[in-house]
Amino acid sequence: MEQKQTAPGRRRRVQATHREMTRTLLTDAAITVFAEKGYAQSTIDQIAAEAGTSRATFYLHFRTKADLLRDLLERASGAFTEPYTRLAASLRARDPDAVREWILEAMRGWIEVEDIMRPVYEAANASAETYRDIFPDDLPGIAEMSEALLEADIVANTEQAEIYTIILYSPLLHLFRKHLRGEPFDHEFAASAIANAWTDTIVGALHAR
């Protein structure tokens, strides 16, 4: 027989839901304020006002403005990880056209997260300490690319996957940051050039095994 939830239990559940909703509201507000003013020029008071709450409420959820960045990264993570579920198949095909289409798909996803990721990189570029705090291990997408290389049987082990990931990932990271700065570039040409370079690198990796 299912036990009924006690009044204190229901109250704790409601409080936890309210805390989560408020934190989400503050994160939504931060994205809006950062997009309008830039990370450095934005203040906690502006974020709290945009959320319709107070500075005191902000501090119940975040210690500093920089603490928001982890929530932003979590919001954006799907745009980086989801396309990588299909990367192994593209790499396994050794087909530049298949890789090119994957790269273009990844680039299209950048538009969805540009307002989220721009303040993250602004903060990281301004402070080495913040960079280490935000990206303690890897940049978004690196672990997934390493897994794709292993899954496609292109590399023999994790160490090789990490090395080749650095080689393959670097041009995408450079272009993503270029996109965040609002600097235009030819997506079709870039995707074709990167796909050809990736294919050559993959063939070289296979021969090296």
Side-chain angles (χ1 to χ4, degrees):
M1 183 175 180
E2 186 178 349
Q3 190 174 13
K4 289 186 177 179
Q5 192 176 32
T6 63
R10 288 195 299 272
R11 185 162 56 250
R12 285 193 294 271
R13 184 176 178 182
V14 169
Q15 289 171 342
T17 300
H18 179 72
R19 283 195 299 272
E20 186 62 31
M21 289 176 62
T22 304
R23 188 181 181 96
T24 299
L25 190 64
L26 285 164
T27 304
D28 289 342
I31 292 170
T32 299
V33 173
F34 291 158
E36 291 177 355
K37 301 180 182 299
Y39 176 80
Q41 287 72 39
S42 299
T43 67
I44 288 172
D45 286 333
Q46 290 167 343
I47 293 168
E50 178 68 27
T53 186
S54 66
R55 184 183 183 89
T57 299
F58 178 95
Y59 282 121
L60 291 175
H61 297 270
F62 303 98
R63 293 175 304 161
T64 65
K65 185 174 68 170
D67 275 355
L68 280 160
L69 300 175
R70 295 188 191 90
D71 283 44
L72 299 192
L73 269 176
E74 186 176 344
R75 288 274 188 100
S77 62
F80 294 99
T81 59
E82 198 277 331
Y84 283 92
T85 62
R86 294 182 294 282
L87 178 56
S90 299
L91 296 178
R92 195 182 295 113
R94 326 280 192 251
D95 178 4
D97 288 336
V99 175
R100 173 182 170 278
E101 287 305 312
W102 183 91
I103 292 170
L104 284 172
E105 177 192 359
M107 288 179 175
R108 285 192 288 269
W110 294 351
I111 297 172
E112 300 174 13
V113 295
E114 60 186 3
D115 285 344
I116 300 175
M117 291 300 297
R118 188 176 293 109
V120 171
Y121 279 107
E122 285 178 6
N125 290 337
S127 165
E129 182 180 353
T130 301
Y131 184 96
R132 289 191 299 269
D133 188 44
I134 299 170
F135 302 119
D137 298 315
D138 292 321
L139 294 169
I142 282 185
E144 289 75 19
M145 180 174 281
S146 293
E147 290 173 10
L149 288 169
L150 287 165
E151 184 183 340
D153 200 30
I154 290 167
V155 294
N157 52 54
T158 302
E159 183 180 1
Q160 290 182 8
E162 290 175 354
I163 296 298
Y164 278 102
T165 293
I166 293 170
I167 296 170
L168 300 178
Y169 192 81
S170 294
L172 277 184
L173 177 60
H174 174 79
L175 289 175
F176 180 53
R177 288 180 166 176
K178 190 178 181 70
H179 171 82
L180 292 180
R181 293 193 297 268
E183 300 173 11
F185 63 90
D186 187 330
H187 287 61
E188 294 281 347
F189 176 80
S192 295
I194 294 172
N196 289 331
W198 280 19
T199 304
D200 290 344
T201 301
I202 289 166
V203 170
L206 289 167
H207 285 316
R209 288 192 58 174

